[in-house]
Amino acid sequence: MKVKVSRKAHFNAAHRLYVKDWDEATNQEVFGKCNNPHYHGHNYELVVSVLGDIDKETGYVMDMKTLKDLIKAEIEDAFDHKNLNLQVPEFANLIPTAENIAVVIWDKLRPHIEEDKKLEVILYETPRNFVTYTGP
Ligand code: NI
């Protein structure tokens, strides 16, 4: 019997979407407002879920306090109030789209989650736009 437990988190961050090798007109056509050379911010909402068996002793799939602290240490402290392009090393050569941010978050959390459990990351860039990543 598998149960999925989830924790919501939040961070504010700035980004710019552009491809270095493209000219300005092409970047503007593809990325629009998100290509603003002066960057712009989003209020990212994050939902991290862990799927697994309920531990017979604790009754937990995962201690939510542990998950909360993990998200704080690995994601919020690293991303909140940061310029993703300039201040977060994972995006030095990776476009910080919601898709890529979700993958980076998953990669950062995965080593800390027990191996027999599944990890899912849902990232909202706006209230209406969100992406889901469950691993490669
Ligand atoms: Ni944007």
Side-chain angles (χ1 to χ4, degrees):
M1 182 179 64
K2 305 285 185 192
V3 176
K4 182 160 86 171
V5 299
S6 302
R7 168 84 190 172
K8 283 186 183 176
H10 173 84
F11 58 91
N12 299 312
H15 74 170
R16 179 191 179 193
L17 305 184
Y18 70 107
V19 175
K20 286 173 191 164
D21 296 339
W22 292 356
D23 61 31
E24 182 55 31
T26 308
N27 272 300
Q28 193 59 35
E29 188 183 325
V30 172
F31 295 115
K33 282 182 182 173
C34 277
N35 174 45
N36 180 352
H38 301 290
Y39 304 93
H40 63 278
H42 290 282
N43 294 315
Y44 290 97
E45 295 286 346
L46 175 64
V47 182
V48 176
S49 299
V50 175
L51 178 79
D53 293 312
I54 298 175
D55 184 276
K56 286 196 170 58
E57 281 183 309
T58 63
Y60 288 158
V61 172
M62 181 174 179
D63 186 331
M64 296 300 271
K65 173 74 161 58
T66 305
L67 185 58
K68 174 190 171 187
D69 292 346
L70 178 63
I71 295 168
K72 166 99 171 57
E74 292 292 327
I75 309 304
E76 292 174 49
D77 289 353
F79 292 2
D80 192 35
H81 286 76
K82 297 285 173 63
N83 179 312
L84 298 176
N85 301 73
L86 301 181
Q87 295 180 281
V88 178
E90 284 85 351
F91 300 108
N93 293 299
L94 182 67
I95 304 173
T97 56
E99 291 89 329
N100 281 332
I101 299 169
V103 172
V104 167
I105 290 171
W106 191 95
D107 287 343
K108 284 168 75 78
L109 295 177
R110 181 67 258 189
H112 304 281
I113 306 289
E114 287 176 46
E115 278 185 18
D116 62 341
K117 298 188 165 61
K118 282 191 174 178
L119 175 65
E120 177 187 87
V121 167
I122 301 175
L123 182 70
Y124 285 77
E125 190 169 76
T126 73
R128 291 171 188 274
N129 293 345
F130 62 98
V131 303
T132 303
Y133 184 59
T134 53

